[in-house]
Amino acid sequence: MRTIRVRSPVTALVVVAVAYAVAQVMFVSPAAGLGWDETVYISQVSPHVPAEYFSAPRSRGITLLPAPLVALTSSVLALRLYLTALSAAGLVAAFWPWTALLGSRVVALAALLFAGLWVAQFYGNEAMPNLYVAYAAVAASGWFLRAVRDGGRGPFAALGVSLAFMALMRPTDAAFLVLVLTVFALVARRIRVTATVMVGSVVGMVPWVAEAFARFGGPMGRLRAANDTEGGMGWHLAIGMELRSLNGPTLCRPCGVPWQHPVLSAWWLALPFLVAGGLVVARGTRGVLALAVLCGVALAVPYLFLIQYAAPRFLMPTYALWALAVAALIDRLVAGADGRWRSWAILATGLVLAVQFGTQNVVLRHRVADQRRSREAIQRLAGHLNRLGIRPPCVLAGYKNPYVAYYAGCSSAAVSEDNPAATPRATLAAVRHAGSFAVLSRGGARPGYLKGWRRHDYTGSDRRRWAIYLPPAPS
């Protein structure tokens, strides 16, 4: 059987990245509206809409990626295509340092395994931090090993930049990775590497710390505020919630939903065993893979054991890191087969991967359709508000108001669970400073502090019922 040789270590990765970008364009609508979290992030840097309230758990790093594009245009299509290209380039940058450690074939397969997940494709063109945290974690662990093994300015600089980028995206996640890398560096007695890990992560955390002092009274105050917003960090066994949310919904909070499509979750249940198998069969690279696996475990800890809700995107960094061990297992099983058995091994592997990618595409299509319906419903609600006279300059308060406010062109009075200052008194006080004002509710009894306000009932395209309260008409 003729062997196809890849001329450059990065060529196979580029091919995978192009396929990843094409899959996003084909299966994830490039014109899809923005999600709630996206509107918060985009509004911070867009000159076209007021900035929404930015709560304590969020980090502003992700706002820097779309900033150059949204400064030029408010086109969602342009933003989606821009982020698709960015995510494809990020896939190459993340896995490239591993080619010198595991070989281009294994690394390209690992990138393909990760890119084939529905969650990686769904968030590829979204302005959300989790995918870029995954990229940074893969790159940082790879450059860490290169710095330990080879030294030189290049690996050290790339390690520092990768960790700074990760800390900029999500400081709390970076802290778990830094802990693992620091322990490894100290055990190996690599003081320079240890210093690079610490300096890189600290540099990336500077904006978060600065904002903590400016708005929350310091880092501890911000962490306490984030804890309140997240519903109380502590020991919470969330493994079951992550499994139930694996195929949707995109956010499981509170997570009382039934387990959707259990058969399509077989890969998730098998993943730890596949990773262990990769470590067992590794020849000469077991230590390298062990670091990737441990980093993946560390990054999963807060989402599996410390919070009370779940989302499929939370475990993307773990999936990306563990894909390296799974790819090593597949490569070893195929390469270890002799003679005609190798052809059968290649055929069996191809069939298994085809089933995996096919089932992931099924889940992806369901999630895209659900999100398209819910996002279109929010946009139509915003249009209805505009027709009621709620137009810029305007302010919205109440249920989901930051999300609706973005599309209505209004400022947001935030929501009580995110912004402790969003009290009924503050809501009423905001009326005096707004050109037009509305309070949104999902129906039910009229809030006492809105006595005398005009109520408009609205049923959305998703069948959800809303109550829109407008201030009393001037007498």
Side-chain angles (χ1 to χ4, degrees), residues 176-192:
F176 283 88
L177 182 68
V178 166
L179 178 62
V180 174
L181 297 183
T182 301
V183 169
F184 266 77
L186 290 175
V187 169
R189 298 181 181 180
R190 297 293 197 274
I191 303 303
R192 257 187 87 197

Side-chain angles (χ1 to χ4, degrees), residues 167-213:
L168 188 63
M169 289 291 121
R170 196 172 284 263
T172 49
D173 283 0
F176 283 88
L177 182 68
V178 166
L179 178 62
V180 174
L181 297 183
T182 301
V183 169
F184 266 77
L186 290 175
V187 169
R189 298 181 181 180
R190 297 293 197 274
I191 303 303
R192 257 187 87 197
V193 176
T194 305
T196 303
V197 169
M198 299 304 295
V199 170
S201 57
V202 168
V203 168
M205 291 182 184
V206 166
W208 184 91
V209 172
E211 186 177 22
F213 280 110

Side-chain angles (χ1 to χ4, degrees), residues 26-258:
M26 289 180 60
F27 303 119
V28 186
S29 174
L34 302 178
W36 184 339
D37 291 291
E38 285 189 291
T39 62
V40 174
Y41 293 127
I42 296 297
S43 70
Q44 307 303 310
V45 293
S46 173
H48 310 289
V49 293
E52 296 180 21
Y53 179 77
F54 206 79
S55 60
R58 301 186 187 276
S59 179
R60 295 185 183 271
I62 188 61
T63 66
L64 302 178
L65 296 183
L69 192 285
V70 298
L72 300 175
T73 176
S74 60
S75 168
V76 175
L77 175 60
L79 176 64
R80 293 296 185 216
L81 294 176
Y82 168 79
L83 290 174
T84 293
L86 204 61
S87 64
L91 186 73
V92 175
F95 284 91
W96 182 73
W98 284 90
T99 57
L101 300 166
L102 299 174
S104 59
R105 184 174 60 198
V106 171
V107 175
L109 178 57
L112 179 64
L113 292 172
F114 176 68
L117 296 176
W118 78 263
V119 69
Q121 293 178 36
F122 183 89
Y123 287 103
N125 66 9
E126 298 236 335
M128 295 286 283
N130 309 83
L131 178 66
Y132 295 95
V133 170
Y135 286 164
V138 173
S141 55
W143 287 119
F144 173 87
L145 290 165
R146 296 277 295 273
V148 169
R149 188 192 70 175
D150 305 329
R153 293 182 180 180
F156 277 93
L159 171 61
V161 169
S162 299
L163 287 172
F165 180 78
M166 184 175 182
L168 188 63
M169 289 291 121
R170 196 172 284 263
T172 49
D173 283 0
F176 283 88
L177 182 68
V178 166
L179 178 62
V180 174
L181 297 183
T182 301
V183 169
F184 266 77
L186 290 175
V187 169
R189 298 181 181 180
R190 297 293 197 274
I191 303 303
R192 257 187 87 197
V193 176
T194 305
T196 303
V197 169
M198 299 304 295
V199 170
S201 57
V202 168
V203 168
M205 291 182 184
V206 166
W208 184 91
V209 172
E211 186 177 22
F213 280 110
R215 296 181 56 208
F216 302 99
M220 295 307 300
R222 184 167 192 172
L223 289 174
R224 284 192 295 268
N227 180 71
D228 294 339
T229 299
E230 299 293 345
M233 300 285 285
W235 176 255
H236 303 290
L237 191 61
I239 298 176
M241 290 189 287
E242 283 293 343
L243 179 58
R244 289 199 304 276
S245 71
L246 178 64
N247 301 318
T250 54
L251 179 63
C252 195
R253 184 181 187 182
C255 199
V257 299

Side-chain angles (χ1 to χ4, degrees), residues 252-307:
C252 195
R253 184 181 187 182
C255 199
V257 299
W259 185 8
Q260 298 188 42
H261 315 296
V263 174
L264 304 186
S265 304
W267 71 271
W268 198 84
L269 297 172
L271 184 58
F273 301 100
L274 295 174
V275 170
L279 292 175
V280 169
V281 303
R283 290 185 177 179
T285 59
R286 187 169 296 144
V288 166
L289 290 173
L291 176 71
V293 172
L294 286 176
C295 288
V297 171
L299 289 167
V301 165
Y303 300 109
L304 295 181
F305 302 106
L306 300 180
I307 62 175

